[in-house]
Amino acid sequence: ELHGSIIGTPPATWSRGLLEKLGVPAEKLSPEQYLEAYTEVIDGLYSTLQPMRGAVELVERLHALGVHMAIATSSPREHFEKKMAHHQRLVSLMRVVVTGDDPAVKRGKPAPDIFLEA
């Protein structure tokens, strides 16, 4: 339930919401401090992330069939590029990538802005 309430929202929003829901006072850990620590840890994990079984084959097949695909992620561009640096094959098959910090994305989840832009 907690994960579902924050997934897809901008980092400033989900970090604040997460800490509030967990009852962590801002004077103990601010959303900015949390995001800094989170980013440091997650950056070290990106190289170990693997696509879901069958995902690459599915995307390659859809591409071969001429299906236009896009990635729409609430992650900032910098984080997306770090995350996907080890999965360039998947990224190369996308027609467009839209990240949460794209100026065209005015509103995060639950608004459809990012998907409409993609």
Side-chain angles (χ1 to χ4, degrees):
E1 182 181 321
L2 178 57
H3 184 258
S5 71
I6 63 172
I7 192 166
T9 60
T13 302
W14 66 252
S15 61
R16 185 175 39 260
L18 177 69
L19 294 174
E20 285 173 5
K21 288 186 186 213
L22 295 175
V24 178
E27 52 276 0
K28 288 208 178 216
L29 182 65
S30 72
E32 295 79 16
Q33 290 169 317
Y34 175 77
L35 275 176
E36 186 177 323
Y38 170 85
T39 300
E40 188 176 314
V41 170
I42 203 74
D43 281 354
L45 298 175
Y46 286 146
S47 65
T48 67
L49 298 176
Q50 295 299 313
M52 292 176 65
R53 185 179 40 206
V56 174
E57 294 82 2
L58 174 62
V59 169
E60 287 174 338
R61 180 71 176 133
L62 291 170
H63 184 265
L65 292 170
V67 175
H68 295 173
M69 295 173 285
I71 293 176
T73 176
S74 63
S75 295
R77 174 71 59 174
E78 177 185 4
H79 294 179
F80 173 79
E81 288 178 358
K82 287 178 186 177
K83 192 182 306 182
M84 297 305 289
H86 304 282
H87 306 288
Q88 285 303 302
R89 177 69 182 142
L90 283 173
V91 176
S92 72
L93 298 174
M94 298 299 136
R95 190 162 199 186
V96 67
V97 173
V98 181
T99 57
D101 56 356
D102 186 302
V105 179
K106 302 297 183 207
R107 300 170 299 158
K109 181 185 171 189
D113 298 24
I114 197 164
F115 302 108
L116 295 172
E117 183 61 24

